[in-house]
Amino acid sequence: MVEINRNAFRDAGLEFVLGTGRFVAPRRLAVKTNDGSLRIIEGEHAFINTGTTAAIPDVPGLKAPAPLTHFEALVLTTLPESLIVLGGGYIGLEMAQAFGKLGSKVTVIQDAPRVAMREDEDVTEAIETALKEEGIDVKTGVRPARVTGTSGESVTLVLQNGSMVSGSHLLVAAGRTPVTSGIGLEAAGVEVDARGCIKTDERLRTTAERTWAIGEVAGTPMFTHASFDDYGVLRSQLVGGIAKTTRGRIIPYALFIEPELGRIGLSEVDAKARGIPVRIAKLPMAAVPRARTNGATKGFMKILIDAQSNAILGFAMLGANAGDVVATVHMAMLGRLPYTAVRDAIIAHPLISEGLNILLAKVPERTLNAQR
């Protein structure tokens, strides 16, 4: 695979170097290559795309068991008999349900009061219900005090409430840490924020001249499609023409569990925090003809409409093909279409997206005295 990559880079007029590098001056890197040699590489521009690594919480004994991260979990050759997942975010939930479906006994430990805390309560309640119905033990509002044992053999989490959870394997899914430490950013003149992410402007320029950062290390939402859009922003700055920026972009995302979660724009919590009055419509998936036909009636659709105008501010769906339905809403939002345009559109029957017609027919009428 490495040789194929080398050939692809060479054919594009680039050099592919494997090694460990750090800045020693602006746009100048010292690289210790994998064959042991030292190289100094300097360029007109520097691009930083070091990504993130799995964060390991500061829990006594947690590092000693050599816990799995999602990377190691994906290359396991044997199925864990019993898996403890530390973290109830997106990665933790996807891993938990996947191993549960494969036959592992799974326990999710979440220190927050709910899983997927970025989502509205009705969404997380539905997710927790779906997981529990599959036999996954979801423990929320609990925090590990210490860890003993060895992951892959026997490991025990002692929780702060005095209870214990044991399993054969431990998987840590407690967030991500940007790879900015130890790469010489100070020498390059590149600043980071309080989270350790590289500071960039809307054109992805760092605080150093002709030095750019893209992807997760620049604080971009941790999705492949968001990083790919960063590439488009960066490329537009360099090749000329119309310069693309990150300003005002709307990034959808999906959580690949069953039922699937798709979301874009504001949630109810977001709207309330920003003081934005909204009209809300909600539709159970059981009301969507295709969902009933397929027997996939778990979940719901929910949409947020500006209280004064007919603008779509946000959409969430928990159900089959949620990510694809979100794409339809995304196009309407990009086109600044009023929700009524989607409500009155002719959507082929029987598609899951036909549920949008039914959902949007339930949007409350705009009140004349609505205040922003």
Side-chain angles (χ1 to χ4, degrees):
M1 180 63 71
V2 170
E3 195 60 39
I4 294 174
N5 285 337
R6 285 181 184 276
N7 292 337
F9 273 74
R10 182 195 62 209
D11 293 344
L14 303 171
E15 182 182 7
F16 181 58
V17 179
L18 281 173
T20 303
R22 60 178 290 115
F23 285 99
V24 292
R27 301 177 301 285
R28 182 183 297 168
L29 290 170
V31 181
K32 183 178 180 181
T33 65
N34 284 5
D35 63 11
S37 63
L38 180 65
R39 290 187 57 182
I40 301 297
I41 300 175
E42 188 170 6
E44 181 182 355
H45 298 273
F47 308 97
I48 306 170
N49 188 16
T50 48
T52 59
T53 59
I56 305 297
D58 187 17
V59 176
L62 180 57
K63 294 182 180 180
L68 303 168
T69 67
H70 71 283
F71 178 81
E72 291 86 8
L74 291 174
V75 295
L76 284 175
T77 56
T78 58
L79 182 68
E81 179 182 344
S82 51
L83 177 67
I84 303 170
V85 178
L86 184 57
Y90 304 128
I91 293 175
L93 295 178
E94 289 178 346
M95 292 287 101
Q97 191 181 59
F99 278 100
K101 288 182 178 296
L102 289 171
S104 298
K105 179 183 177 182
V106 179
T107 302
V108 176
I109 305 296
Q110 169 77 327
D111 61 357
R114 298 181 285 115
V115 300
M117 280 294 293
R118 184 175 175 179
E119 308 303 329
D120 288 329
E121 286 193 34
D122 54 356
V123 173
T124 60
E125 287 174 3
I127 291 173
E128 289 181 16
T129 297
L131 295 177
K132 290 175 181 178
E133 287 177 351
E134 294 186 8
I136 296 173
D137 186 7
V138 179
K139 298 182 184 296
T140 57
V142 293
R143 182 171 298 182
R146 65 180 186 276
V147 182
T148 61
T150 301
S151 181
E153 299 176 5
S154 177
V155 62
T156 297
L157 268 66
V158 180
L159 305 178
Q160 290 184 351
N161 62 10
S163 63
M164 295 187 297
V165 179
S166 297
S168 62
H169 292 70
L170 173 63
L171 189 154
V172 177
R176 310 283 300 172
T177 300
V179 180
T180 51
S181 178
I183 61 173
L185 293 182
E186 301 86 353
V190 175
E191 297 178 6
V192 299
D193 62 19
R195 298 176 300 160
C197 295
I198 293 175
K199 293 180 181 180
T200 60
D201 63 11
E202 62 186 25
R203 299 178 185 274
L204 298 176
R205 296 176 296 200
T206 71
T207 52
E209 185 180 4
R210 300 197 305 280
T211 303
W212 317 71
I214 64 174
E216 299 175 9
V217 75
T220 296
M222 297 180 185
F223 307 109
T224 300
H225 51 283
S227 292
F228 185 75
D229 188 71
D230 275 5
Y231 162 74
V233 171
L234 181 61
R235 184 178 185 277
S236 75
Q237 311 301 316
L238 302 176
V239 301
I242 299 175
K244 182 178 179 180
T245 73
T246 62
R247 184 177 63 252
R249 65 181 177 180
I250 307 171
I251 299 177
Y253 61 87
L255 172 62
F256 296 103
I257 58 173
E258 290 184 2
E260 185 174 296
L261 170 66
R263 188 157 80 78
I264 187 169
L266 299 182
S267 66
E268 284 190 67
V269 172
D270 295 332
K272 184 176 181 179
R274 300 183 191 184
I276 302 175
V278 295
R279 290 174 282 159
I280 299 172
K282 191 171 178 179
L283 180 76
M285 291 304 298
V288 180
R290 180 62 172 270
R292 291 200 303 272
T293 300
N294 293 347
T297 56
K298 290 182 180 179
F300 56 86
M301 296 180 177
K302 181 170 67 173
I303 198 158
L304 278 66
I305 306 299
D306 187 280
Q308 193 171 37
S309 71
N310 285 335
I312 301 171
L313 299 182
F315 175 75
M317 175 178 164
L318 193 64
N321 303 109
D324 293 322
V325 178
V326 163
T328 299
V329 179
H330 190 187
M331 295 304 103
M333 295 174 71
L334 289 175
R336 301 183 184 277
L337 296 177
Y339 85 88
T340 51
V342 183
R343 180 196 65 190
D344 300 335
I346 301 174
I347 300 176
H349 172 82
L351 295 177
I352 290 291
S353 54
E354 183 185 20
L356 291 173
N357 290 143
I358 307 170
L359 170 69
L360 293 170
K362 297 166 66 69
V363 173
E365 291 296 325
R366 180 177 55 194
T367 57
L368 295 178
N369 61 348
Q371 298 295 319
R372 291 300 302 271

